Amino acid sequence: MTQKQALTISETAAARVKDIMASRGAGYLRVGVKKGGCAGMEYVMDYITAPEPLDEIVEDKGVTIVVDATSLLFLLGSEIHWDVTPISSKFVFRNPNETDACGCGESVTLVPAQQAS
């Protein structure tokens, strides 16, 4: 039985991450969530040279993504996307565990993913 990947990354996001990592000399994209904002949680991203011992490692579209162990249940099933509009460009999480978001889009309400039966 094959285990489903914790999260995925779109082609456009993968291309952008590769460009950023090449310019910074980083080897991994680290993602997670932290408490904050009016809706309760915020997504966080960083570029790192080595994962922590309990991190989940995901390989997708040529990018190595490190998921913070404490954030894993909140990010299961998510896709990281690179969104470009006429006035901005940013990474966006398409997350099935997101139940609400604040009006300004800076924070979200997340529930842990439910274990499949």
Side-chain angles (χ1 to χ4, degrees):
M1 185 169 138
T2 304
Q3 182 179 350
K4 186 177 176 183
Q5 252 182 216
L7 57 86
T8 59
I9 189 168
S10 70
E11 291 288 345
T12 55
R16 183 67 182 129
V17 167
K18 289 175 192 175
D19 288 345
I20 294 169
M21 286 197 309
S23 71
R24 294 182 180 208
Y28 304 91
L29 168 65
R30 183 178 176 86
V31 298
V33 296
K34 68 176 187 174
K35 290 185 180 189
C38 54
M41 300 187 100
E42 299 173 341
Y43 295 108
V44 292
M45 297 177 68
D46 197 9
Y47 300 94
I48 60 171
T49 55
E52 297 293 325
L54 297 177
D55 289 339
E56 178 82 13
I57 307 293
V58 176
E59 300 275 343
D60 193 25
K61 298 177 184 70
V63 175
T64 304
I65 304 166
V66 175
V67 183
D68 169 26
T70 61
S71 302
L72 185 59
L73 284 178
F74 295 103
L75 294 174
L76 282 175
S78 295
E79 179 190 41
I80 303 169
H81 182 66
W82 179 247
D83 190 33
V84 178
T85 69
I87 59 171
S88 72
S89 55
K90 62 184 177 181
F91 288 104
V92 175
F93 283 77
R94 295 177 177 161
N95 187 341
N97 307 304
E98 193 173 301
T99 60
D100 197 12
C102 68
C104 66
E106 293 297 317
S107 65
V108 294
T109 303
L110 298 172
V111 295
Q114 298 298 312
Q115 185 174 1
S117 39

